[in-house]
Amino acid sequence: MSREHQFFNIAIDGPSGSGKSTLAKQLAERFGFIYLDTGAIYRAVGLYAHRAGAELTDAVAVEELLPRLQKISFRHEGGEQRVFLGEEDVSDAIRMPEVSLYASQVAAHQSVRTFLLDMQREFARTQDVVMDGRDIGTVVLPDASLKVFLTATPERRAERRYQELLSRGVEEDYEQVLADIKLRDERDMQRDVSPLRQAADAVVLDTTELDLEQSLGALVDLTMARLSQEGAL
């Protein structure tokens, strides 16, 4: 889908549990784009900092770890995209509920966001990408071809996360999952550095009443319309 001297970038932002990663990955597959899971990157940094024994709310302590951070990479294995920290496959470890909070804490530090910014932008400069996160359309890719703000009620997002955990054999209390979702929302929206917010030119897609297939269909329609506008179809 790439075109000479121009690449089509899709920025998908939204709160925790809104289905950004799942939908962004499927959208990328549908159009043959590269999917960059920025949430996984921050989760990997959070996991690394926690394992290193750093106080995750201490900006100085976390910054001092960054030069020693093992390379974060994505590999396709067994038909799916896996996340590696150095040579360790951390795809499952970074999806544990507590790591979501680790990610939120380290993402609040400017040093972490600056450290990872160039990595994310380089992908977008060299290929068609779908990128999801909380500040993609506002900070990372402010000139993205299409910006979508994906959301749903906290209760609906908690239910989805709860079912996801159960499917992986992780026992968790729904009320605790909901509390974690609300806490993550508060932290993400109120942090000083790159807070979660909708880009002025983003299309809002509320998936509270939509299932996965319907949500993907809506994203495909938005992408097709924007590609048509740019004369890429």
Side-chain angles (χ1 to χ4, degrees), residues 17-191:
S18 59
K20 298 186 302 296
S21 296
T22 299
L23 288 167
K25 180 164 58 177
Q26 293 189 8
L27 185 66
E29 291 174 353
R30 179 70 63 92
F31 287 92
F33 292 178
I34 297 297
Y35 167 58
L36 185 63
D37 185 350
T38 60
I41 295 174
Y42 282 99
R43 284 170 177 266
V45 174
L47 179 64
Y48 174 81
H50 171 74
R51 287 177 171 179
E55 173 53 60
L56 302 188
T57 58
D58 186 332
V60 174
V62 173
E63 182 175 6
E64 289 177 347
L65 290 174
L66 295 178
R68 303 194 298 276
L69 178 67
Q70 296 161 291
K71 181 181 178 181
I72 299 170
S73 60
F74 297 87
R75 306 177 194 172
H76 283 281
E77 295 186 354
E80 63 178 344
Q81 183 167 279
R82 308 291 293 179
V83 184
F84 285 78
L85 186 58
E87 291 303 314
E88 179 189 359
D89 184 340
V90 294
S91 305
D92 295 329
I94 64 173
R95 297 302 174 187
M96 298 301 290
E98 62 271 19
V99 181
S100 177
L101 297 180
Y102 301 161
S104 182
Q105 289 172 319
V106 299
H109 304 315
Q110 183 63 60
S111 60
V112 174
R113 307 197 76 84
T114 299
F115 184 81
L116 298 177
L117 187 60
D118 284 342
M119 178 199 306
Q120 298 171 71
R121 286 179 171 169
E122 181 60 26
F123 271 93
R125 282 193 291 264
T126 57
Q127 54 208 319
D128 297 315
V129 301
V130 180
M131 198 178 301
D132 71 289
R134 286 165 178 75
D135 65 347
I136 308 304
T138 55
V139 176
V140 181
L141 299 179
D143 298 320
S145 310
L146 172 64
K147 301 176 187 177
V148 179
F149 191 83
L150 194 68
T151 189
T153 63
E155 290 76 17
R156 187 71 178 102
R157 290 184 280 126
E159 176 63 24
R160 290 169 179 166
R161 181 60 57 82
Y162 175 70
Q163 293 298 331
E164 176 192 354
L165 291 170
L166 287 180
S167 70
R168 299 209 311 264
V170 178
E171 294 291 336
E172 186 63 84
D173 178 66
Y174 167 78
E175 293 300 330
Q176 183 59 54
V177 175
L178 178 59
D180 288 345
I181 286 281
K182 291 180 176 180
L183 177 60
R184 181 75 190 265
D185 286 351
E186 181 180 3
R187 285 178 171 171
D188 288 345
M189 290 187 290
Q190 295 184 3
R191 68 190 184 203

